[in-house]
Structures are given as structure tokens and as C-alpha cells.
């Protein structure tokens, strides 16, 4: 019972300490949010992306009716086609055609290919610090990859259904998210410091502390007065 009572009192003390330092908690939260905003706005380099979509076919002749089995087979081929698009056969030719001053590995790290909702449509995305550069490279991949895919997979083909887009809105950094994250970190740190101070404080500050920590009854309290006669 004594332990449970002490835990309740400790919680009350923590809440009281937070209330006493509420202004500092708010200030720390605001300052951390400003730091998160400033770092995202002025220190981080914006990243842009350009995307295009291609549809996968299991054969080069698509004039006749397409069966469900062919669609399922095409869906499975997306993974194979993705590997071909990200191979050095395609990307190195893109580098040579555009005269890019980078290696295959550097370009490969900026290109991603994935299926759209497990369909036979695949999405090609290029990331860069320049939206125009990303669009140009994505367009060149669309121009180079179909012939290479047809040569590698003789029974299949791909068709462009959506050309590379020019996206002027950066995909990162997320200023709102980083600002909110900074505010959360500032709040947690401020509350953590207050809680730590309460837990480490072993001083006798009030008559309640005498009863709590010394298990003694308070018989009287002597007030302290300053020189002006005001009670402290």
C-alpha cells in the first residue's frame, strides 16, 4: 500500500512539475519545430522524380484477343522486364546516348521499376535533384528499353502507355513531416528532462516530503520572511 501511494504521489509531482515548467516545454517544442523546418528548407537538397508506365505483353503480336492466361503470364514477366530495364545493357546505353557524366551504378541507384497493383503495368521512376534531368532520363529509358526487351525476350514486348512526367514538386524532404517530427522530439526531450529532475530530486522541499520520505509527523512549520516582511 505504501508503494502504491508513493507511485501516485510521484505521478502527481511529475504533473505538477510539468505544469510549473509548461512555458519551457512549449518553448522547447517550438524551437525544435523551427529547427526541423529550417533544416528541411535550407539544408536538405530537394529531390524530384519523373515517372512513366509501360504495359507488358507476352507476345509481340497483340492484334488478336488476349486471354486471361496471357494476362497472368504478362504479370509474372514484369519482374523479368524490370531486371532488364535496370541492367547495364539498358542504362549504359542511356548514359552514352545522353552523355551523362556518371557510372552505371550511379544511374542504377536513381532508377526504380515496380509493378502497379500486381498488374501487367510497370512503373519506371527516375529520381534526381533536377526535375528536367529526371524527365529526360526517364524518356530515354522508354526509348531504349523496348527494343532490348524484345531482343532478350523474343516472345514478349512492352508498350508505353504513359510518357515521362515533369514533376516540379519535390518528393523530399517532407517539410511538414520533418517540422512535426522536430516538434515531437523537442516535446519528448523537454518532458524527459522534467521527469528526470523529479526522479533525481531527493531534497525535502515541503512538509509532505517529510511525511513521505522520513515517515515522520510534522509538528509545525516555521515560515521565512524577507527584509520587507513578506512571507516567502
Amino acid at each position: 500500500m505504501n508503494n502504491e501511494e508513493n507511485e501516485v504521489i510521484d505521478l502527481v509531482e511529475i504533473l505538477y512539475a510539468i505544469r510549473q515548467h509548461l512555458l519551457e516545454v512549449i518553448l522547447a517544442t517550438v524551437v525544435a519545430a523551427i529547427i526541423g523546418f529550417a533544416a528541411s528548407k535550407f539544408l536538405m537538397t530537394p529531390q524530384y522524380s519523373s515517372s512513366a508506365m509501360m504495359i507488358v505483353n507476352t507476345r509481340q503480336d497483340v492484334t488478336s484477343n488476349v486471354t486471361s492466361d496471357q494476362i497472368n503470364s504478362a504479370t509474372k514477366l514484369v519482374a523479368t522486364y524490370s531486371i532488364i530495364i535496370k541492367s547495364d545493357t539498358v542504362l549504359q546505353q542511356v548514359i552514352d546516348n545522353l552523355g551523362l557524366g556518371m557510372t552505371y551504378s550511379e544511374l542504377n541507384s536513381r532508377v526504380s521499376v515496380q509493378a502497379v497493383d500486381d498488374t501487367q503495368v510497370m512503373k519506371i521512376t527516375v529520381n534526381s535533384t533536377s526535375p528536367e534531368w529526371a524527365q529526360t532520363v526517364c524518356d530515354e529509358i522508354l526509348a531504349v528499353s523496348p527494343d532490348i526487351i524484345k531482343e532478350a525476350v523474343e516472345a514478349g514486348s512492352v508498350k508505353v502507355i504513359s510518357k515521362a512526367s515533369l514533376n516540379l514538386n519535390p518528393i523530399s524532404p517532407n517539410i511538414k513531416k520533418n517540422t512535426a517530427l522536430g516538434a515531437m522530439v523537442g516535446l519528448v526531450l523537454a518532458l524527459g528532462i522534467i521527469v528526470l529532475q523529479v526522479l533525481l530530486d531527493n531534497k525535502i522541499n515541503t512538509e509532505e516530503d517529510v511525511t513521505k520520505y522520513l515517515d515522520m509527523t510534522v509538528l509545525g512549520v516555521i515560515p521565512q520572511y524577507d527584509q520587507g516582511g513578506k512571507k516567502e
Side-chain angles (χ1 to χ4, degrees):
M1 292 295 293
N2 291 334
N3 291 336
E4 293 180 358
E5 184 178 354
N6 289 339
E7 290 179 1
V8 174
I9 294 176
D10 289 340
L11 180 60
V12 172
E13 289 180 356
I14 291 173
L15 295 177
Y16 179 77
I18 293 175
R19 181 179 178 183
Q20 291 294 106
H21 298 85
L22 185 59
L23 182 60
E24 289 86 343
V25 172
I26 296 175
L27 182 61
T29 303
V30 172
V31 170
I34 294 175
I35 293 175
F37 173 82
S40 302
K41 186 71 174 180
F42 304 108
L43 299 181
M44 298 182 182
T45 303
Q47 294 289 328
Y48 301 87
S49 69
S50 179
S51 300
M53 289 189 290
M54 305 176 72
I55 187 170
V56 175
N57 301 304
T58 56
R59 56 184 182 178
Q60 298 183 14
D61 181 14
V62 293
T63 56
S64 59
N65 294 331
V66 179
T67 64
S68 59
D69 291 338
Q70 292 172 343
I71 294 177
N72 293 333
S73 299
T75 302
K76 296 178 181 179
L77 278 176
V78 170
T80 302
Y81 287 11
S82 300
I83 296 175
I84 296 175
I85 291 176
K86 285 178 64 67
S87 67
D88 56 349
T89 306
V90 173
L91 297 186
Q92 188 60 51
Q93 186 171 337
V94 171
I95 293 173
D96 296 338
N97 292 349
L98 297 178
L100 303 178
M102 59 172 49
T103 63
Y104 158 72
S105 299
E106 292 173 338
L107 180 57
N108 183 62
S109 63
R110 299 189 182 190
V111 178
S112 62
V113 184
Q114 58 185 1
V116 179
D117 298 329
D118 294 327
T119 64
Q120 63 187 111
V121 176
M122 59 183 178
K123 183 179 181 180
I124 303 171
T125 303
V126 179
N127 297 325
S128 174
T129 56
S130 169
E132 293 81 7
W133 188 94
Q135 182 187 30
T136 300
V137 172
C138 193
D139 275 332
E140 190 63 23
I141 292 176
L142 295 182
V144 170
S145 59
D147 292 337
I148 296 178
I149 290 175
K150 291 178 182 178
E151 182 179 352
V153 186
E154 297 180 354
S157 65
V158 291
K159 182 179 180 181
V160 177
I161 60 176
S162 177
K163 294 184 178 181
S165 60
L166 178 62
N167 187 8
L168 299 178
N169 296 319
I171 57 174
S172 67
N174 190 326
I175 297 179
K176 292 182 179 179
K177 180 179 178 180
N178 291 345
T179 301
L181 182 61
M184 184 64 65
V185 170
L187 176 63
V188 171
L189 287 178
L191 294 178
I193 292 174
I194 293 175
V195 172
L196 188 62
Q197 288 177 341
V198 172
L199 296 179
L200 296 179
D201 185 12
N202 56 1
K203 297 179 181 179
I204 304 298
N205 298 311
T206 64
E207 54 266 31
E208 288 82 5
D209 291 342
V210 176
T211 304
K212 175 182 176 181
Y213 297 110
L214 302 181
D215 195 21
M216 300 174 63
T217 302
V218 178
L219 299 179
V221 178
I222 301 176
Q224 180 180 354
Y225 291 86
D226 60 11
Q227 294 181 354
K230 183 178 179 181
K231 179 180 178 181
E232 291 184 351

